[in-house]
Amino acid sequence: PPMPPEEGQQALGDFVTYNIAIEMLQYAAANRAKTGQPFFQVTGIKRPHLNWRAPAGYVDMYPIEQVAPPTQLTLDKSIDPVAYTVFPMNAPLSANASASGDFVHSPYMHGTDYQLRELRQHYYAAVSWADFATGQILNELDKLKLTEDTMVVLHVRDVMESPLMEHPSLLLSESCLDG
């Protein structure tokens, strides 16, 4: 994936977050080498939280014609919608449409096949971006030779079944651990 931000592109929050996390790790590692003092660090990567934004190039990793539409189009009626959030999701009605529409008004309504695939495409891009950002922090642990005696806890929040994500799953793939 491209190294964000590209020239003329504003840095997304997670770009700033992972770079600050790396700076803090470098400081903590130097302090530990000097004083022996252990450290604790918490870093929060926002993505893939709504709205699903990622740097240029990440959406292109998932050509829309290769993105499968969901099999479950709406929230199952047996699930209480109390936690459902109506978040505007504007997407073209079709590949050739000039018109678009916000179709998320209820957990029991869905957009066109194309709209759902486009939203999934952006969700996948946001997951890949979160994967990349997390990988940058873990790579820094390796560079600082802290991997063998550092505990890393990955906590994924807001994972739920929805029309866009068939089943809850671990959002960060093994690739972030491969360096």
Side-chain angles (χ1 to χ4, degrees):
M3 177 59 117
E6 293 179 353
E7 191 166 331
Q9 181 184 22
Q10 183 178 5
L12 294 175
D14 287 335
F15 176 80
V16 175
T17 298
Y18 83 70
N19 278 289
I20 290 171
I22 288 170
E23 288 177 21
M24 292 188 318
L25 276 176
Q26 292 166 345
Y27 174 83
N31 186 58
R32 181 176 172 199
K34 184 177 176 182
T35 67
Q37 180 182 21
F39 65 92
F40 176 80
Q41 178 174 326
V42 175
T43 303
I45 302 296
K46 181 179 180 185
R47 300 295 165 212
H49 204 281
L50 289 170
N51 61 0
W52 298 316
R53 293 178 57 215
Y58 281 81
V59 171
D60 298 337
M61 293 169 57
Y62 302 96
I64 196 147
E65 57 277 355
Q66 294 177 15
V67 176
T71 55
Q72 181 180 333
L73 297 175
T74 63
L75 187 68
D76 187 287
K77 297 230 186 240
S78 67
I79 299 172
D80 189 334
V82 69
Y84 182 82
T85 301
V86 175
F87 192 90
M89 294 189 194
N90 201 9
L93 300 173
S94 68
N96 300 322
S98 58
S100 63
D102 174 15
F103 61 89
V104 183
H105 302 283
S106 155
Y108 307 112
M109 297 172 63
H110 63 85
T112 66
D113 191 59
Y114 186 84
Q115 286 175 314
L116 294 175
R117 287 178 31 227
E118 183 171 280
L119 292 177
R120 274 187 152 190
Q121 177 190 41
H122 284 84
Y123 171 75
Y124 295 159
V127 170
S128 292
W129 167 234
D131 201 19
F132 175 81
T134 303
Q136 296 303 298
I137 297 165
L138 295 176
N139 288 341
E140 189 64 25
L141 279 174
D142 285 340
K143 288 179 195 171
L144 295 170
K145 307 218 182 303
L146 295 172
T147 306
E148 295 302 317
D149 60 354
T150 299
M151 179 173 62
V152 175
V153 177
L154 297 177
H155 170 72
V156 180
R157 193 182 82 112
D158 293 341
V159 178
M160 63 180 179
E161 289 198 48
S162 81
L164 300 175
M165 303 169 283
E166 309 279 5
H167 302 286
S169 63
L170 182 61
L171 299 179
L172 301 175
S173 72
E174 292 180 17
S175 66
C176 73
L177 303 175
D178 293 340

